[in-house]
Amino acid sequence: MSKPGESSEIDSVLIENRRFDPPSASAVGAPRWLIGSMDEYRAMHKRSIEDPEGFWGEIAGEFRWSSKWERVLDWELPDAKWFAGGKTNLCDNCVDRLVDQGHGDDTAIIWEGEPMGGEGPEVRRLTYADLKRETARFANALKSLGVKKGDVVTIYMGMVPELAVAMLACARMGAAHSIIFGGFSPQAIADRVTDAKSRVIVTCDGAWRRGKVVPLKQNVDEACDMLADRGEAGVEHVVVLRRCGSDINWTQGRDNDYSELVQGASDEFPPEPMDSEDMAFLLYTSGSTGKPKGILHTTAGYMVFTATTAKYVFNLIPDQGQVFWCTADIGWITGHSYIIYGILPNRVPTLMYEGAPNFPEEDRFWGIVERHKVTQFYTAPTAIRAFMKWGAEHPKKHNISSLQVLGTVGEPINPEAWMWYRKHIGRDICPIVDTWWQTETGGHMLTPLPGVTPTKPGSCTLPFFGVDAAIVDNDGQPLPKGKGGLLAIRKPWPSVLRGIYNDRERFIETYWSRLPGMYFPGDGARTDDDGYFWIMGRVDDVINVSGHRLGTMEVESALVSHEAVVEAAVVGMPHEIKGTGIAAFVTLENAFTPGSPEDAEKLRKALTAHVGKEIGAIAKPDMIRFAEALPKTRSGKIMRRLLRSIAAGEEKTGQDTSTLEDFSVLAKLREPQEG
Ligand code: WT7
């Protein structure tokens, strides 16, 4: 993949000619398809681009507002304001509005815990009325701890119903949440808490994962110690939900028991009217520097766009026995948008599963589909590749014929995985929606519509309503069909990120300066003869590991912070399950140069553990190679392209090494080192 500045034309090697026409609704048991034909899709898309204000204004009218907006869109690059002058509340539109419409007894959330007793797993169902009461109580609890409108509350919890309650309670009272995935380390928590200036953390004693307890509270304690060591104002309150019954330390005055707090709290907390452009939440994600960025989403545009994408992309229709399941963790944007905010307003129950896909056995997911008659199933290519590896006998053990629509997200899906998904999970009839989007876009951008869009394995097909996507060269000029280039979005859409928290400059530089007048997502792509989009991957120093974005610089900084390391370069390499694995090339301090293969292995283990401690398990390198020097150009730039082909085990003869400073470096890096 070429890097910005090198060339915008990217060679595409994937040629895929299979094409699948959509099935009728009756074939898969769906009540009907919301969009009836490609002509209807095209007409709606055309209108959404030519008259975004009319299009989105009509849809926004279906939500509840405490005062109506004055203008649908104000756009002054890079600042979009949607529904300016209006006041609304996300929690109200996900919960109270439905209760007031007479649906208080409808199931909002179906939750299944990981542990499997003889009696089967623990299952909890929360109705919209339950959610109204619980979010009001927890909002009162947060208020009692001094949380006010506009504050940032950090949430670091497992996948339990109280996580949904906590985030919706923040929305209810007008506090922003910053949710940190439970796989991140104390260091990562501390950095995010500092950046967000957050004073309150909501956590659990632990989280169940594959039968073991992830020590969430202990990680929070360590993060708090780090903040104290840095001499920062620090965390005033930690709220702890007891989920696993594990032993935890308790800091008097700072720590609060979740149950005790809500027990005494009132059931009444009217949703706070929020300006359309008030901050809804921060979500930290990796970029091409060492420091994660707080992606900022606001209230009304995010609400309208996520609910609308969910409705059409998953064909959500209430009162038809549908059950929607997105397998992501709420700690990622996929979980924010398609477990909670986009699904609840559509009044189709959203399923939350607490644990691992292979606990106690590899058929767990299909047992869940069977038990709860899941109709829409949304997962990631990395998970599908794991299902493939485990074998088709696992879904075969269960009746999964309730499924109507399958989705994927997170990275380009390889056609074999797509075909396997279609055959073994989709009975060769369920449409697959391959949805391209990002933390920054808030919701789906390029995606098929089920029952409408003919699909091709590996393509995310066509733009959603309101999305004006194009493939352009480095100057922003459109490229012809078939030519690889940069993916660009030429018009604002309702849930576009509004900023990087505390970093206006980086916001402008990352997304709005690369291409004139357009949003730059950082992906390379091409279109085919039908105008279908094919994503080719990142064009920056970001890799996509198991569908999660990771900045190579972040891993490099973590490595360099180890006493043995002088310099490190991290690149992606092909990996059977993760899609992209992490390869690290490391030069060492002389004193740490391993004297034997055993010493080298020990050091590799130590470095891997160190990265896990600095960032989290997802960032642990899959391969570490030691080198006396890294290949650099004469101007001192690490030649990552070269490292990528070494990591992939390719001996590309066509590689241009004419600017390489020291040829012997290359030969050494290619030498096998393992063992
Ligand atoms: C990056 C965004 C959106 C939630 C999950 C990841 C890649 C995402 C697809 C897809 C090809 C995809 C892109 C994008 N990506 N979905 N369907 N096909 N690539 O969110 O961590 O913000 O990462 O994931 O490279 O830029 P994220």
Side-chain angles (χ1 to χ4, degrees):
M1 193 65 45
S2 71
K3 284 185 40 181
E6 285 177 7
S7 155
S8 60
E9 289 190 13
I10 301 165
D11 294 327
S12 176
V13 288
L14 181 75
I15 306 220
E16 172 60 61
N17 292 318
R18 282 171 292 200
R19 183 189 148 111
F20 295 91
D21 284 328
S24 67
S26 59
V28 295
R32 65 194 153 94
W33 299 122
L34 288 168
I35 303 291
S37 67
M38 275 314 264
D39 285 346
E40 191 181 343
Y41 157 73
R42 285 190 204 286
M44 281 175 79
H45 185 261
K46 185 161 183 271
R47 176 170 180 231
S48 72
I49 298 298
E50 287 169 1
D51 176 23
E53 306 207 14
F55 184 90
W56 291 112
E58 258 167 44
I59 292 178
E62 293 165 21
F63 291 78
R64 186 149 78 177
W65 300 79
S66 31
S67 27
K68 204 188 159 182
W69 61 90
E70 284 151 20
R71 291 168 311 280
V72 174
L73 172 63
D74 290 331
W75 172 230
E76 201 170 317
L77 188 131
D79 299 306
K81 291 198 180 86
W82 285 88
F83 310 109
K87 278 188 192 296
T88 187
N89 182 288
L90 257 171
C91 181
D92 183 48
N93 277 284
C94 285
V95 179
D96 299 38
R97 177 176 60 99
L98 296 137
V99 174
D100 295 344
Q101 287 170 354
H103 302 298
D105 293 336
D106 289 13
T107 302
I109 295 178
I110 302 171
W111 174 84
E112 181 168 314
E114 188 191 75
M116 265 286 196
E119 252 106 274
E122 185 186 351
V123 172
R124 283 170 64 188
R125 275 166 223 280
L126 281 84
T127 63
Y128 284 95
D130 292 335
L131 272 184
K132 180 177 174 185
R133 184 186 63 249
E134 295 307 316
T135 56
R137 282 187 178 167
F138 197 61
N140 278 314
L142 288 173
K143 190 176 166 190
S144 74
L145 299 178
V147 175
K148 301 179 308 296
K149 181 174 178 173
D151 288 354
V152 180
V153 174
T154 297
I155 301 180
Y156 182 70
M157 298 172 87
M159 286 283 286
V160 288
E162 288 80 1
L163 164 54
V165 168
M167 66 198 284
L168 287 162
C170 288
R172 192 173 191 92
M173 71 185 306
H177 49 70
S178 163
I179 305 182
I180 304 176
F181 172 57
F184 279 115
S185 67
Q187 180 73 54
I189 303 170
D191 293 346
R192 285 157 177 75
V193 165
T194 300
D195 190 78
K197 299 182 202 66
S198 186
R199 296 280 159 267
V200 174
I201 303 181
V202 187
T203 190
C204 302
D205 51 0
W208 287 113
R209 187 79 193 170
R210 218 160 281 136
K212 296 212 178 77
V213 176
V214 181
L216 297 179
K217 170 63 161 62
Q218 188 189 319
N219 290 346
V220 168
D221 289 343
E222 284 176 30
C224 289
D225 290 347
M226 285 174 186
L227 291 167
D229 286 350
R230 289 183 198 166
E232 287 183 24
V235 172
E236 285 157 21
H237 290 286
V238 176
V239 180
V240 187
L241 176 83
R242 299 196 194 250
R243 162 61 187 149
C244 304
S246 43
D247 279 341
I248 50 176
N249 289 329
W250 202 257
T251 304
Q252 278 306 331
R254 186 198 71 187
D255 293 348
N256 306 264
D257 184 276
Y258 185 104
S259 316
E260 281 171 24
L261 270 187
V262 294
Q263 243 163 41
S266 149
D267 291 359
E268 295 290 320
F269 196 115
E272 178 71 25
M274 302 295 286
D275 284 343
S276 291
E277 285 299 335
D278 275 341
M279 172 159 68
F281 63 85
L282 293 176
L283 183 56
Y284 284 83
T285 188
S286 298
S288 49
T289 74
K291 191 174 166 270
K293 47 196 179 186
I295 303 300
L296 193 156
H297 281 289
T298 57
T299 303
Y302 176 81
M303 169 177 87
V304 170
F305 194 75
T306 53
T308 306
T309 48
K311 173 177 169 182
Y312 289 111
V313 173
F314 301 124
N315 202 56
L316 299 182
I317 304 173
D319 301 321
Q320 301 291 332
Q322 290 184 333
V323 172
F324 176 87
W325 182 21
C326 165
T327 70
D329 191 286
I330 287 182
W332 309 103
I333 191 69
T334 309
H336 282 59
S337 298
Y338 300 112
I339 296 179
I340 302 297
Y341 292 121
I343 309 300
L344 290 173
N346 282 296
R347 203 159 56 76
V348 165
T350 181
L351 192 142
M352 260 176 100
Y353 167 57
E354 180 178 38
N358 53 352
F359 187 87
E361 304 291 340
E362 279 87 7
D363 66 340
R364 181 63 186 265
F365 273 16
W366 319 120
I368 294 176
V369 169
E370 180 171 29
R371 249 188 309 283
H372 303 288
K373 300 200 171 51
V374 172
T375 47
Q376 279 88 352
F377 178 76
Y378 190 34
T379 195
T382 183
I384 298 168
R385 288 191 295 268
F387 306 151
M388 285 173 77
K389 199 170 167 188
W390 296 336
E393 66 266 28
H394 296 295
K396 279 210 185 75
K397 282 181 221 155
H398 297 273
N399 179 357
I400 56 169
S401 64
S402 54
L403 291 171
Q404 299 171 0
V405 177
L406 305 179
T408 90
V409 59
E411 60 180 303
I413 182 165
N414 41 314
E416 313 87 83
W418 196 99
M419 292 300 297
W420 189 94
Y421 196 30
R422 178 182 157 90
K423 178 162 181 216
H424 295 288
I425 309 303
R427 328 190 282 289
D428 272 323
I429 48 175
C430 295
I432 296 179
V433 291
D434 175 352
T435 59
W436 177 88
W437 57 295
Q438 310 179 291
T439 305
E440 291 87 341
T441 71
H444 304 142
M445 300 294 280
L446 301 172
T447 175
L449 298 181
V452 184
T453 316
T455 49
K456 307 178 189 185
S459 170
C460 55
T461 74
L462 297 167
F464 188 75
F465 306 134
V467 175
D468 180 17
I471 306 296
V472 301
D473 68 14
N474 261 326
D475 304 318
Q477 292 304 312
L479 285 167
K481 286 176 178 167
K483 266 253 169 291
L486 304 175
L487 177 60
I489 313 294
R490 298 183 290 199
K491 282 202 160 72
W493 64 99
S495 64
V496 57
L497 81 162
R498 303 302 201 267
I500 293 177
Y501 199 55
N502 290 328
D503 206 340
R504 174 90 180 159
E505 219 170 287
R506 192 172 173 197
F507 169 61
I508 294 171
E509 191 193 299
T510 311
Y511 306 108
W512 304 101
S513 339
R514 181 73 198 279
L515 301 170
M518 303 170 212
Y519 171 79
F520 173 58
D523 279 16
R526 69 177 170 95
T527 49
D528 65 15
D529 290 341
D530 297 323
Y532 276 34
F533 285 82
W534 297 78
I535 303 295
M536 291 150 64
R538 302 285 312 185
V539 295
D540 50 14
D541 289 329
V542 172
I543 52 181
N544 191 318
V545 180
S546 303
H548 298 310
R549 197 194 315 186
L550 206 58
T552 50
M553 278 269 278
E554 264 180 82
V555 185
E556 286 165 8
S557 330
L559 284 166
V560 172
S561 72
H562 189 279
E563 55 177 359
V565 177
V566 177
E567 192 174 38
V570 167
V571 296
M573 66 176 199
H575 188 285
E576 196 192 343
I577 299 289
K578 299 180 179 180
T580 305
I582 304 170
F585 295 87
V586 170
T587 61
L588 298 170
E589 295 280 356
N590 278 340
F592 287 88
T593 306
S596 67
E598 292 76 42
D599 283 353
E601 201 42 42
K602 241 191 238 158
L603 186 54
R604 279 195 196 96
K605 286 220 174 86
L607 293 179
T608 306
H610 180 73
V611 173
K613 201 180 101 234
E614 290 289 303
I615 306 174
I618 45 166
K620 285 183 180 173
D622 298 284
M623 178 188 99
I624 297 178
R625 234 167 237 215
F626 299 124
E628 275 157 50
L630 297 175
K632 290 186 185 162
T633 63
R634 278 176 214 124
S635 63
K637 277 206 194 105
I638 294 176
M639 301 181 80
R640 287 164 186 284
R641 228 184 317 176
L642 214 56
L643 292 177
R644 275 193 284 270
S645 57
I646 294 173
E650 298 162 12
E651 286 295 322
K652 274 202 192 143
T653 43
Q655 287 271 3
D656 179 13
T657 51
S658 57
T659 51
L660 183 64
E661 184 201 40
D662 175 4
F663 278 95
S664 64
V665 161
L666 247 192
K668 282 188 195 128
L669 282 173
R670 287 197 179 117
E671 283 164 15
Q673 293 191 340
E674 261 62 42

